[in-house]
Amino acid sequence: MIPAQFDYVRAGSVEEACQALAADEDAKVLAGGQSLLPLLRLRLAYPSTLVDIGRLPELSGVHDRDDHVYIGAMTTHDEVLRSPVVNGACPLVALAAATVADPAVRHRGTFGGSLAHGDPAGDLPAVVLALDAVLVARSARGEREIPAAEFFADYLETALAPDEILAGVRIPKLGPGWGYHYEKFHRTAQAWAVVGVAAAVKRSNGGIEEARIGLTNMGATPVRARAAEAALRGVEAADQVRGACEEADADTSPPADLHAQPDYRRHLARVLTHRAVRTAAGWG
Ligand SMILES: Cc1cc2nc3c(=O)[nH]c(=O)nc-3n(C[C@H](O)[C@H](O)[C@H](O)COP(=O)(O)OP(=O)(O)OC[C@H]3O[C@@H](n4cnc5c(N)ncnc54)[C@H](O)[C@@H]3O)c2cc1C
């Protein structure tokens, strides 16, 4: 199908992009276009104006800061997964970015676009949730910070106001003792997750001191597996992990679709959480 007619603005600066969004409440940001352009073609979205933020260097790149890594919203999945800073300080982000689609999508699609799109089947939302990242929004009204736990509002809905741009994301550095893994079940290579699990696990004195788990595609938004996180605290050996992950699907409302029914997704969440936690803990 051909998209409905729209105006096009190529922003020359973040301020210009913010002004264009403030001037038209039906305008939408165009980032890598990997999700938005299919929606336009299917006429599931019909913005009056597309505000292209693709040529704004200040929205791109990975920056190593004292206690966090800052990833500009327009940094592509490919740049993220190859970044030595990301691989060194927050490897869970790189592990998940490497599972996104195929090289073509990873070269065009952006880190910020994956979050701003708010698709619970996306791989990065569960990761920023598990890592307690902070999302930085800009608008003509100024800048504000949104904790990941408050960012994902509903299916394809986020806490961003229509006139706000996601400028970048602060990923806290968790420090020594942490291990990471992203486990994704997908029907074919390069496909969306049927279910995914992002795990960060801290070991001390041989056992698990803390676990952080984000679930992909287990509800209208990414979900923290809080019950499993609590059960994993104090686990002392690999053979106790399976039992602690039995409640990984608590507090979820998995969707039914062509690929899986809710019960099967619940089963996958438990199995994949077990695998992800064992690998992250070095007990794989
Ligand atoms: C064939 C295919 C397979 C895919 N498989 C996967 C997969 O396995 N895993 C996965 O995670 N993703 C997958 N994706 C999606 C991909 O990750 C996209 O890159 C991502 O969803 C959107 O990023 P984008 O930069 O293309 O955003 P766009 O498509 O440009 O925008 C998407 C939405 O977010 C908004 N937006 C984008 N950036 C900003 C911003 N900075 N501020 C405010 N709003 C913004 C737009 O207005 C729009 O509403 C796939 C895509 C395709 C086409």
Side-chain angles (χ1 to χ4, degrees), residues 21 27-39 45 50-51 53 59 73-75 77 96 99-102 105-106 108-119 121-125 156 158 160-161 164-168 182 184 186 190-193 216:
L21 289 174
K28 256 193 173 309
V29 168
L30 174 65
Q34 297 301 295
S35 296
L36 183 54
L37 295 187
L39 290 178
L50 286 188
V51 181
I53 58 169
L59 293 182
M74 285 303 293
T75 314
H77 300 305
T99 74
V100 171
D102 51 36
V105 173
R106 291 197 294 267
R108 296 292 309 174
T110 65
F111 184 65
S114 281
L115 304 176
H117 189 45
D119 188 338
D123 297 294
L124 281 318
L156 302 187
T158 70
L160 287 175
E164 281 183 314
I165 289 175
L166 178 62
Y182 186 69
K184 175 172 175 175
H186 39 155
Q190 305 169 349
W192 292 87
T216 296

Side-chain angles (χ1 to χ4, degrees), residues 61-163:
V62 174
H63 306 276
D64 194 357
R65 305 259 164 84
D66 287 348
D67 60 348
H68 67 271
V69 173
Y70 182 83
I71 304 179
M74 285 303 293
T75 314
T76 65
H77 300 305
D78 189 69
E79 289 163 340
V80 166
L81 76 92
R82 290 177 195 281
S83 159
V85 172
V86 173
N87 279 280
C90 46
L92 184 56
V93 179
L95 289 168
T99 74
V100 171
D102 51 36
V105 173
R106 291 197 294 267
H107 274 86
R108 296 292 309 174
T110 65
F111 184 65
S114 281
L115 304 176
H117 189 45
D119 188 338
D123 297 294
L124 281 318
V127 171
V128 298
L129 190 66
L131 295 178
D132 287 330
V134 174
L135 293 90
V136 181
R138 295 260 304 266
S139 72
R141 294 170 287 127
E143 182 175 298
R144 72 177 175 124
E145 298 178 356
I146 310 169
E150 295 167 19
F151 185 78
F152 302 102
D154 205 340
Y155 184 72
L156 302 187
E157 277 183 31
T158 70
L160 287 175
D163 66 340

Side-chain angles (χ1 to χ4, degrees), residues 189-236:
Q190 305 169 349
W192 292 87
V194 177
V195 173
V197 177
V201 176
K202 184 175 191 188
R203 294 222 3 229
S204 63
N205 301 320
I208 293 179
E209 182 184 321
E210 187 181 346
R212 299 186 186 182
I213 300 162
L215 303 177
T216 296
N217 217 3
M218 285 296 289
T221 63
V223 190
R224 273 295 275 273
R226 298 276 183 197
E229 290 180 1
L232 282 161
R233 209 167 293 130
V235 158
E236 288 173 347

